[in-house]
Amino acid sequence: MSTLFGTGELLFSDDVFTDWEGTVLARVKRPRQTWRTMFTSGGNLQIVRADETLLFEMPNVDTSGVDELRVETVDGILPASIKKKRRLLPLKLEYTVQDDTGTSMGTIKTNPAWSPVEAEETSGSPVATVRLSGAHSWTVDLQANTSTSWDVVMLAMVIIADEMQGELSGMG
């Protein structure tokens, strides 16, 4: 069970995180675009709890590819950075997750279709799995006894996966 929401099983669809009973736990607030900012800055996504308090912020997703991402948090949750590992394997994407001091927390693995997304700590222990479960619907399984920083990183990864899937489905 995740300490972030009191449950380890989440659903994500239409920018909303819910539990299995449909209770809204958090949602994504997207930046308002103006003519001035439309072509210069993607702005930050804000992920807010159901009561509208800020949980974390992350850059708006660039669907041309995600090489690096910093998750800025609140409420004493440590921020984290996600950096793509440079590899020559076209069917495998790997990211290193680091805490605010640059210490490795573990890795995230996926593929160009962005499902599944699997995370593990540096010890090899599983942290979370994100799977596409329908047209732009995702299941998120957060393992027990992981840090809230990992939970936030995985929420950010499901948002990225959803954006990338949207881009992929628009190509065909």
Side-chain angles (χ1 to χ4, degrees), residues 14-165:
D14 298 321
D15 283 347
V16 176
F17 290 95
T18 64
D19 63 13
W20 284 98
E21 284 78 42
T23 304
V24 174
L25 303 171
R27 67 182 184 84
V28 178
K29 288 177 74 173
R30 297 190 176 272
R32 289 187 32 179
Q33 295 291 333
T34 66
W35 284 106
R36 182 174 295 185
T37 63
M38 189 177 301
F39 303 105
T40 58
S41 170
N44 279 340
L45 302 178
Q46 292 184 329
I47 292 62
V48 297
R49 293 182 185 269
D51 65 2
E52 294 294 315
T53 58
L54 181 65
L55 185 58
F56 69 94
E57 287 186 325
M58 62 185 272
N60 208 348
V61 179
D62 178 5
T63 54
S64 65
V66 177
D67 289 333
E68 189 170 343
L69 176 80
R70 180 158 173 84
V71 178
E72 294 291 337
T73 59
V74 296
D75 292 336
I77 301 169
L78 296 175
S81 296
I82 303 163
K83 296 180 182 176
K84 186 176 184 179
K85 289 184 179 180
R86 300 287 176 213
R87 299 244 170 138
L88 296 176
L89 301 172
L91 299 178
K92 188 176 184 182
L93 298 172
E94 278 191 38
Y95 294 86
T96 300
V97 181
Q98 297 176 333
D99 67 15
D100 202 32
T101 65
T103 303
S104 179
M105 294 169 54
T107 59
I108 297 173
K109 298 174 183 176
T110 188
N111 57 55
W114 286 87
S115 182
V117 177
E118 297 172 319
E120 61 183 35
E121 293 178 324
T122 53
S123 66
S125 298
V127 174
T129 303
V130 174
R131 293 189 189 283
L132 187 64
S133 58
H136 301 288
S137 295
W138 300 82
T139 57
V140 182
D141 182 20
L142 303 170
Q143 298 295 315
N145 301 323
T146 59
S147 69
T148 51
S149 294
W150 261 118
D151 292 348
V152 166
V153 164
M154 291 312 294
L155 297 182
M157 289 305 291
V158 75
I159 294 166
I160 292 168
D162 189 57
E163 292 288 328
M164 300 304 277
Q165 263 294 322

